Amino acid sequence: MSDFTGAAILLRRIDYGDCDLILTFLTREDGKASAMAKSAKKSVKRFGGILEPFSLLQVVWKQGRGGLPILQEASLESAFFCIRGDIRKTAYASYWTELVHEWAEEGAPQASLYELLRQVLHGLDAGVVPAPVLSILFQMRFATLTGFRPELDRCNVCGLPVEAIPAGRIAVDIPRGGIVCEGCGGRAAGNSPISRGAVKQLLWAGRDDYGLACRVRFSDRSIREGLGFLETFIPYHLGKRPKSLAFLQKIRGTANG
Ligand SMILES: [Zn+2]
């Protein structure tokens, strides 16, 4: 890891000894990267108490002699105070940042993923688009950018287009990565049903146009079904269930509402 100057979103913060912190960031230019913040725990003055998870910062770090680079400067670009003041929003932001942290590898540029995370955090902070809708947008785009986009426009076995599958006969098939029709197993195999409306709205949400996706009108049922699908699908294909997802579902009071 080399020297770095620029914008970064703090993904994870862990204690190191009595005084220091190890910070993991997502940057636009260098992807995921870690740095050591010396004395950040001991002296709040050192970094002004701004090294909080999912803060958007301007940072400077320099490579020391071996080990992690050392954080030299950090200033706040956005603290997302409206997220921090709301435990439900904090739970969503924690889930998104944990997904990014789990998936991204250090040193691989992730400009699109950085932009996506920055946009949904700003959206969550502004509060115009409901948090569950932003979570659907984030997860659909995250799945696409990370290479496990769900196949939702046709049956994953026979290829029958979703429009041609009779209403009430569509089911999600998590291991296959999308939906199946009744003739190919459907709900008989223990899969959850999903409405055609929810499938259509997920497809809209997955488009590479954040502004347009934000304007999709989701019904309550589609939100419920969409979250239920994505919060099962993404951990399954990531190979890991994020700890923050259990927290989010507990705060929300339901696994898919
Ligand atoms: Zn089929």
Side-chain angles (χ1 to χ4, degrees):
M1 198 60 233
S2 52
D3 298 353
F4 178 85
T5 300
I9 299 168
L10 185 52
L11 299 178
R12 178 169 290 186
R13 185 180 89 158
I14 55 173
D15 292 348
Y16 186 77
D18 291 337
C19 311
D20 306 337
L21 294 172
I22 294 176
L23 307 169
T24 306
F25 295 96
L26 185 70
T27 70
R28 186 202 304 268
E29 296 80 6
D30 291 356
K32 190 169 93 171
S34 296
M36 176 87 78
K38 292 271 189 194
S39 301
K41 258 180 79 186
K42 198 168 67 175
S43 164
V44 174
K45 270 191 294 184
R46 177 73 182 91
F47 289 105
I50 62 170
L51 302 176
E52 294 292 329
F54 55 79
S55 282
L56 176 58
L57 304 164
Q58 283 289 333
V59 293
V60 177
W61 63 68
K62 292 199 185 303
Q63 186 61 56
R65 276 178 293 168
L68 287 174
I70 308 296
L71 188 68
Q72 311 286 323
E73 294 169 35
S75 60
L76 206 50
E77 194 159 294
S78 183
F80 301 119
F81 287 121
C82 294
I83 300 178
R84 280 174 217 293
D86 180 328
I87 194 158
R88 201 160 157 271
K89 288 186 176 186
T90 299
Y92 276 108
S94 302
Y95 173 52
W96 304 338
T97 47
E98 187 176 351
L99 285 181
V100 171
H101 184 272
E102 287 300 328
W103 180 80
E105 288 180 7
E106 302 228 354
Q110 295 292 348
S112 299
L113 190 57
Y114 173 88
E115 270 313 309
L116 173 66
L117 185 58
R118 196 185 62 80
Q119 281 175 325
V120 287
L121 288 172
H122 275 297
L124 189 64
D125 196 53
V128 176
V129 180
V133 172
L134 285 172
S135 199
I136 288 173
L137 302 191
F138 173 78
Q139 290 175 92
M140 282 299 291
R141 288 293 300 143
F142 175 79
T144 302
L145 292 172
T146 53
F148 44 87
R149 179 179 182 273
E151 185 72 69
L152 293 169
D153 52 5
R154 58 194 62 249
C155 170
N156 277 243
V157 179
C158 70
L160 191 65
V162 63
E163 295 83 0
I165 305 175
R169 304 287 170 85
I170 307 170
V172 300
D173 188 325
I174 300 293
R176 282 206 172 90
I179 56 167
V180 284
C181 75
E182 191 140 291
C184 294
R187 294 173 62 177
N191 296 313
S192 306
I194 189 166
S195 62
R196 191 184 293 152
V199 170
K200 289 275 175 203
Q201 285 168 331
L202 286 173
L203 286 167
W204 265 96
R207 289 181 170 206
D208 186 18
D209 185 332
Y210 180 76
L212 201 63
C214 280
R215 291 200 293 276
V216 181
R217 290 269 175 156
F218 282 86
S219 66
D220 289 347
R221 180 182 176 184
S222 292
I223 291 172
R224 233 177 15 252
E225 291 181 351
L227 289 177
F229 169 67
L230 289 166
E231 291 175 6
T232 309
F233 175 85
I234 289 190
Y236 180 90
H237 289 278
L238 196 65
K240 188 171 182 181
R241 188 174 164 78
K243 287 194 194 88
S244 54
L245 181 56
F247 176 65
L248 169 63
Q249 292 180 343
K250 192 175 165 199
I251 291 292
R252 212 168 49 195
T254 159
N256 59 357

